[in-house]
Amino acid sequence: FPVTIADAIDAVGALGGECTAFYIGNSRAVTAGHCFKGTTDSIQKGTPCRSYNIKFGYLRDDKDGSHTSTCKYIEAHKRSFGDKLEDYAVIVIDNPPRVQLRFDQNYIAKSNDPISIVSYPDLKPLKHAICKVSLLGMKPTVTGLLFHTCDTEPGSSGAPVFLRSTGTVI
């Protein structure tokens, strides 16, 4: 792992064995909205999600992780398609990790910026994909989207995308 993201490993976890989530502080984690089964649109704020656990920081198998957190409730959720692609969930968790990720919501995509995705595909040990930002195929009407050339697998949904030069999630 690049030095800029090595400390972040404990803030990334496997969500329910089917997605990846990452911790942003204040008992909040972020993942993809479609990670919550049966959802097509927004889930109401405050909806309980205790059946979902996050296993943070394991490198070899799911028994060596730093700890497990439980999703308490969904704070924000969106899953929509078309011209306004939105697919995210902010969840409130118990027993948060000791490390949180820095998040840059103002990042402006630049072609070929070196990035990394750290995820738990299908509850396998941590995978690190090294890749770059791609501006090919971007629609000028769609803002806030980041296209990349990363090799990811099912289960990587919701994973943080790091700008390798700074270690910041973009």
Side-chain angles (χ1 to χ4, degrees):
F1 291 96
V3 171
T4 55
I5 65 170
D7 290 339
I9 293 169
D10 285 337
V12 180
L15 173 71
E18 297 183 24
C19 284
T20 300
F22 60 96
Y23 184 63
I24 59 170
N26 198 25
S27 297
R28 295 336 188 248
V30 175
T31 190
H34 72 264
C35 294
F36 293 93
K37 293 286 184 220
T39 62
T40 54
D41 292 322
S42 295
I43 296 175
Q44 187 174 14
K45 181 179 180 176
T47 299
C49 54
R50 290 214 170 267
S51 62
Y52 290 87
N53 289 323
I54 304 172
K55 294 180 181 182
F56 285 100
Y58 69 87
L59 297 173
R60 288 172 292 285
D61 61 49
D62 65 357
K63 295 170 185 53
D64 75 345
S66 61
H67 69 280
T68 299
S69 295
T70 300
C71 182
K72 293 169 61 176
Y73 62 89
I74 296 171
E75 184 169 83
H77 179 274
K78 191 76 169 179
R79 182 177 177 199
S80 61
F81 303 97
D83 281 345
K84 192 156 172 80
L85 295 169
E86 295 178 292
D87 187 14
Y88 66 87
V90 178
I91 57 177
V92 176
I93 61 173
D94 66 5
N95 189 31
R98 60 179 174 72
V99 177
Q100 69 186 45
L101 299 183
R102 293 174 297 156
F103 203 110
D104 181 359
Q105 294 181 2
N106 298 314
Y107 170 77
I108 297 172
K110 295 174 211 67
S111 191
N112 296 320
D113 269 357
I115 57 175
S116 293
I117 295 179
V118 176
S119 67
Y120 290 95
D122 292 329
L123 202 55
K124 295 177 202 165
L126 192 66
K127 179 180 179 183
H128 177 222
I130 298 172
C131 44
K132 61 186 175 180
V133 172
S134 172
L135 297 181
L136 294 175
M138 287 191 68
K139 298 178 186 176
T141 58
V142 179
T143 59
L145 292 181
L146 177 71
F147 291 85
H148 60 74
T149 59
C150 298
D151 184 15
T152 59
E153 300 175 50
S156 296
S157 294
V161 178
F162 293 94
L163 187 58
R164 282 202 320 260
S165 60
T166 64
T168 303
V169 177
I170 54 173

